[in-house]
Amino acid sequence: MSSESLFSKLTAHAKEYGYIFQSSEIYDGLSAVYDYGQYGAQLKKNIRDAWWKSMTQLHDNIVGIDAAIFMHPTTWKASGHVDNFSDPMIDNKDSKKRYRVDHLIEAHAATLSAEDGKQLIEAMEALLAKDDYQGILSLINEHKIKCGISGTCNWTEVRQFNLMFQTEFGAVASDNQDDNIVYLRPETAQGIFVNFLNVQKTGRMKIPFGIAQTGKAFRNEIVARQFIFRMREFEQMEMQFFVRPGTELEWYAYWKENRMKWHQALGIPAEKLRYHDHAKLAHYANAALDIEFEFPFGWKELEGIHSRTNYDLSRHQEFSKKKIQYFDNDLNPEGKPYGNYVPYVVETSVGLDRLVLTILSLAFKEEEVPTAEEGKTDIRTYLSIPAAIAPVKAAILPLVKKEGLPEIANSITTELRKHFHCQYDEKDSIGKRYRRQDAIGTPFCITVDHQSKEDEMVTVRHRDSLIQERIPIKGLTQYLQKAIQG
Ligand code: ATP
């Protein structure tokens, strides 16, 4: 299956089987906004829970918080988002279509020979690094880059476009409109920074320690495409790890490795993941990289790991005029306490929706299987989602809807439900029921047949290998627990 065909089949499958719907679809949808259906929401929750557990339960020095989406507007001045959180854009005057200049130029570079394409990208990066927008416009004109819709080169100037959504707060209008403006947070990290002292003091946290948070973030992405890869409303899972100045690069190395292992433990093969060091660092960062995944449309960022020095806390200290410092009474090599300082920060920031897309794109499989009719084959479509995060763990299926089999299957379901998400299904032929469970990625189908009445055993069918085993009903919970943990 080509990558393109995999991607379009996957998006159709995600909709057809209750994973992901376009938002407000009955009104023709809202661009780059998606809703998770019954299986998608559960898959997303399972991934979020795995992340939360790895951070807050498996590390004794990381705690989790849940900060509000709305924050005092000064937060975003301090963080630099009001002034700098923007992308350079250009509009085509004929089609009125707006493009992110890097996307426009990259798309053109992809049509050139490898060497010419590389040169063009390098020229673009050099100009963007200097914020030379006149130079960018000249580059676009020189290469006669056309709008995909109008086919013309009739471009506006290059302009900066801030990605933050803003809205008004409260019912009372103020004379100064700016007083009422609040932003929908474009990242969850700032909710952690502004709570640094609250958490450190109330939790008596000792450096090094981390604060983790998951939650919605909003960005008015101009070029929103590739399904749930780039959305205007999405969910982040971020952890800020506060460390003693001078130790940040050791911690950066620790988190770089830890996060790569976590993705692999989730079931992502090592060869589909790679590090990508940032060539150009933000002025406050002293190291930064992305963990990239090979999506069906190429290698793209899944998670960012950044050593952000003490920039964020210092800026909040400056803008709030409140002291944000930590007293470190550990002894330095000279035998004196390290004393007061603004901690340094290593951040790990992963997009939950991008992880869902990663898991689904790895899971989507089509396979030719023989049918009952001799010499004929059929296509079996299934999602090989790792059992530990699959939305439904087991389906319990009486072979027929009579002769006492539904009763046995129901009592098994009642027992298993206490431990796992299960489905009971007695409708249609057993083959059709298997296919339905394959399509939503249920790792185990448990079939109750006539023999079960005699030997108190059932058949467990494995989704990926199609292996079938006879297992005693009594031992099913334990059997599944073990199989799910892998
Ligand atoms: P990109 O370069 O792809 O726009 P970014 O570098 O702006 O991403 P960060 O600000 O580092 O992203 O955000 C951390 C993580 O949040 C990203 O690694 C990604 O997984 C996720 N993320 C960022 N923007 C979006 C979006 N529009 N839709 C979905 N996930 C996103």
Side-chain angles (χ1 to χ4, degrees):
M1 203 182 332
S2 74
S3 302
E4 222 166 276
S5 137
L6 162 72
F7 192 51
S8 67
K9 281 183 180 177
L10 172 65
T11 45
H13 189 91
K15 181 182 164 193
E16 191 178 345
Y17 290 96
Y19 270 86
I20 299 160
F21 309 122
Q22 219 187 352
S23 154
S24 19
E25 195 190 350
I26 57 166
Y27 296 106
D28 297 333
L30 188 64
S31 161
V33 187
Y34 289 90
D35 296 341
Y36 284 84
Q38 60 277 30
Y39 299 120
Q42 187 63 46
L43 171 63
K44 193 172 158 191
K45 181 181 183 308
N46 293 348
I47 299 174
R48 188 193 299 115
D49 288 350
W51 183 90
W52 187 259
K53 181 177 173 187
S54 84
M55 287 293 176
T56 66
Q57 188 176 325
L58 301 180
H59 286 92
D60 64 3
N61 57 352
I62 300 180
V63 290
I65 64 165
D66 183 12
I69 287 171
F70 288 136
M71 299 185 70
H72 192 285
T74 308
T75 309
W76 305 108
K77 293 203 176 94
S79 69
H81 283 81
V82 171
D83 293 328
N84 299 321
F85 194 55
S86 51
D87 281 332
M89 304 287 170
I90 195 164
D91 293 20
N92 183 271
K93 290 184 196 160
D94 299 319
S95 68
K96 310 276 183 266
K97 181 151 172 64
R98 179 167 291 167
Y99 293 87
R100 247 176 79 170
V101 293
D102 55 337
H103 288 167
L104 182 71
I105 296 173
E106 274 164 15
H108 182 72
T111 66
L112 304 177
S113 70
E115 187 50 34
D116 290 352
K118 191 166 159 249
Q119 268 182 18
L120 176 58
I121 299 284
E122 280 169 6
M124 172 189 82
E125 283 176 349
L127 293 165
L128 286 177
K130 291 186 285 182
D131 292 332
D132 180 353
Y133 298 138
Q134 200 49 49
I136 287 280
L137 182 60
S138 306
L139 192 70
I140 290 172
N141 286 330
E142 242 168 63
H143 283 261
K144 300 197 174 52
I145 300 179
K146 294 193 183 88
C147 165
I149 294 175
S150 67
T152 68
C153 303
N154 197 5
W155 298 110
T156 60
E157 296 291 300
V158 175
R159 281 171 300 164
Q160 288 283 8
F161 186 92
N162 196 294
L163 299 182
M164 279 198 294
F165 283 99
Q166 58 183 53
T167 186
E168 275 171 47
F169 208 58
V172 186
S174 145
D175 290 343
N176 180 358
Q177 277 200 332
D178 284 354
D179 290 353
N180 292 344
I181 287 179
V182 287
Y183 299 97
L184 297 186
R185 65 179 178 200
E187 61 174 31
T188 56
Q190 298 305 321
I192 294 179
F193 291 127
V194 300
N195 277 301
F196 168 76
L197 279 184
N198 286 338
V199 174
Q200 191 271 317
K201 294 217 159 102
T202 56
R204 295 184 302 131
M205 306 302 290
K206 226 172 136 2
I207 267 179
F209 74 91
I211 305 179
Q213 164 162 241
T214 72
K216 286 283 175 101
F218 304 83
R219 296 183 186 179
N220 200 1
E221 301 277 4
I222 293 307
V223 185
R225 38 175 197 186
Q226 290 153 341
F227 197 33
I228 57 168
F229 179 81
R230 190 175 300 286
M231 300 198 286
R232 298 204 163 100
E233 173 179 343
F234 58 100
E235 191 164 336
Q236 289 186 314
M237 306 195 288
E238 298 197 292
M239 194 279 301
Q240 313 293 325
F241 201 70
F242 300 96
V243 305
R244 184 182 295 149
T247 64
E248 70 277 10
L249 293 180
E250 283 161 48
W251 284 110
Y252 175 75
Y254 169 85
W255 283 110
K256 173 178 166 179
E257 202 184 313
N258 177 292
R259 294 301 303 146
M260 182 61 98
K261 284 195 184 140
W262 183 84
H263 288 289
Q264 291 171 13
L266 197 67
I268 308 174
E271 66 275 13
K272 288 274 192 182
L273 292 164
R274 71 178 187 195
Y275 293 118
H276 171 78
D277 285 312
H278 286 201
K280 184 185 154 210
L281 292 178
H283 63 91
Y284 49 81
N286 61 7
L289 62 84
D290 298 334
I291 294 180
E292 293 186 336
F293 171 71
E294 193 177 16
F295 286 95
F297 39 82
W299 288 95
K300 300 271 179 205
E301 171 175 347
L302 182 58
E303 168 153 7
I305 298 169
H306 311 123
S307 171
R308 302 177 61 100
T309 68
N310 61 3
Y311 174 79
D312 304 271
L313 290 182
S314 302
R315 292 277 289 186
H316 286 303
Q317 180 166 261
E318 183 189 333
F319 279 71
S320 68
K321 303 193 177 59
K322 309 249 160 51
K323 209 165 166 188
I324 306 182
Q325 292 200 354
Y326 173 82
F327 185 78
D328 188 338
N329 52 17
D330 279 2
L331 301 182
N332 65 20
E334 285 139 39
K336 294 188 186 132
Y338 282 95
N340 268 318
Y341 55 76
V342 180
Y344 272 41
V345 171
V346 176
E347 158 182 90
T348 72
S349 172
V350 61
L352 178 51
D353 312 272
R354 286 192 190 176
L355 266 171
V356 170
L357 183 57
T358 298
I359 295 297
L360 287 180
S361 58
L362 285 168
F364 185 82
K365 301 264 166 34
E366 282 180 338
E367 177 180 273
E368 215 174 322
V369 286
T371 61
E373 236 180 292
E374 225 188 278
K376 293 233 163 143
T377 58
D378 198 2
I379 299 289
R380 173 172 92 102
T381 305
Y382 66 104
L383 293 179
S384 69
I385 301 173
I389 51 172
V392 178
K393 308 293 190 218
I396 299 91
L397 318 169
L399 189 62
V400 289
K401 241 196 295 194
K402 52 188 180 189
E403 291 147 17
L405 302 191
E407 286 74 9
I408 301 175
N410 265 315
S411 90
I412 294 175
T413 310
T414 307
E415 181 51 35
L416 293 183
R417 277 224 165 106
K418 296 178 194 157
H419 309 277
F420 319 103
H421 272 268
C422 296
Q423 278 188 358
Y424 171 86
D425 189 2
E426 57 174 28
K427 233 173 140 209
D428 299 320
S429 73
I430 192 75
K432 273 196 183 153
R433 283 180 271 164
Y434 283 154
R435 291 302 174 84
R436 275 204 291 270
Q437 296 301 329
D438 283 347
I440 62 167
T442 307
F444 305 102
C445 283
I446 296 163
T447 309
V448 178
D449 54 21
H450 293 98
Q451 180 83 21
S452 307
K453 289 202 279 189
E454 268 133 57
D455 63 6
E456 297 189 359
M457 290 175 94
V458 286
T459 302
V460 176
R461 169 192 181 265
H462 294 244
R463 175 198 62 203
D464 299 354
S465 63
L466 295 181
I467 287 173
Q468 305 207 357
E469 295 180 90
R470 288 296 278 182
I471 304 288
I473 294 174
K474 263 197 189 142
L476 259 182
T477 302
Q478 261 187 325
Y479 173 88
L480 288 179
Q481 255 154 357
K482 215 167 144 208
I484 288 165
Q485 274 162 14

